[in-house]
Amino acid sequence: MSRLFLETIRAVEGEIFNLLYHQKRYERVLKKFNIKNPKNLLEHINPPKTGTYRCRLLYNISKEAHTIEVTYHEYKKREINSLKLVYDDNIEYSLKSACRDELELLYGLRGKCDDILIVKNFLITDTTIANVAFYDSGRWVTPAQPLLKGTTRERLLIEKKIFESDIYVDDLKKFSKVALMNAMIDFDIITKNIEEFFC
């Protein structure tokens, strides 16, 4: 039985970003399935030399080996101006799987909002495409229990630019700003008033 996982990597004018963290996450997935001899992802990536691209690395883990397929997609930022809180205590997405059925099902509940912010066991987790951080008392705080530990999130934690904490729904009112982060947008601070950001 095969399993499909992916890494989404940003490339601008041929330059590849944050590759070390993508490599580490990819290797953690392989280790979980007892696959040895990980590949060097850099050897599989050759993005276009002009423009901003989303490099989509799809890797298929079988019982004894894995293959990597890379496609390049010109990137256009998806504008997120509103989020809807959606509750699901059973969702699981700790590995960056190519199967996003659970996320897509919840995304369908967004109504007129641009995306959703998933609440699991009363705790804030992620949107369908990004980790989140909230600003309070001079620092940015990100949920300690996200659905997926993103590569940008990991880098910013190591650099001590963000800090982990459990964030409950009732905590949202104490924050003054919100930011979204993923491999493509890095750390994107939302300029909209936080109270108006949730619909």
Side-chain angles (χ1 to χ4, degrees), residues 17-178:
F17 287 81
N18 220 24
L19 186 59
L20 173 64
Y21 295 94
H22 290 285
Q23 182 76 36
K24 286 181 178 179
R25 183 167 63 183
Y26 151 77
E27 290 180 8
R28 284 195 297 269
V29 173
L30 263 58
K31 185 176 181 180
K32 182 175 179 64
F33 292 97
N34 298 313
I35 303 294
K36 299 179 180 178
N37 302 316
K39 303 176 190 296
N40 182 348
L41 297 183
L42 182 60
E43 295 177 356
H44 294 264
I45 306 172
N46 185 26
K49 302 304 179 188
T50 58
T52 299
Y53 280 83
R54 176 170 58 92
C55 308
R56 187 175 189 267
L57 279 72
L58 187 67
Y59 55 105
N60 185 335
I61 297 178
S62 66
K63 188 174 181 181
E64 299 175 352
H66 70 288
T67 58
I68 295 178
E69 175 187 329
V70 185
T71 55
Y72 304 97
H73 309 269
E74 195 164 6
Y75 180 68
K76 183 177 180 181
K77 183 181 176 184
R78 178 175 149 192
E79 294 297 332
I80 305 294
N81 294 304
S82 58
L83 293 176
K84 179 179 180 179
L85 293 178
V86 173
Y87 296 76
D88 188 331
D89 292 342
N90 299 309
I91 188 169
E92 173 62 37
Y93 194 70
S94 59
L95 302 178
K96 194 171 176 65
S97 169
C99 179
R100 292 172 49 88
D101 292 349
E102 287 182 281
L103 291 172
E104 292 300 327
L105 184 63
L106 295 181
Y107 180 71
L109 303 176
R110 70 191 182 284
K112 295 181 179 179
C113 296
D114 294 324
D115 202 346
I116 60 172
L117 183 57
I118 300 166
V119 181
K120 182 176 181 179
N121 299 321
F122 306 105
L123 290 167
I124 300 297
T125 63
D126 302 326
T127 75
T128 62
I129 61 168
N131 294 126
V132 294
F134 301 92
Y135 188 77
D136 176 52
S137 303
R139 69 175 193 165
W140 286 94
V141 180
T142 192
Q145 300 180 53
L147 293 180
L148 179 71
K149 294 181 177 179
T151 55
T152 298
R153 176 185 181 275
E154 183 179 357
R155 173 174 55 82
L156 294 175
L157 283 169
I158 290 173
E159 294 173 353
K160 298 191 182 306
K161 292 180 178 177
I162 60 173
F163 301 87
E164 287 184 311
S165 179
D166 283 340
I167 301 173
Y168 292 87
V169 174
D170 287 345
D171 294 330
L172 292 177
K173 59 181 177 290
K174 74 181 184 181
F175 297 112
S176 60
K177 299 177 185 176
V178 60

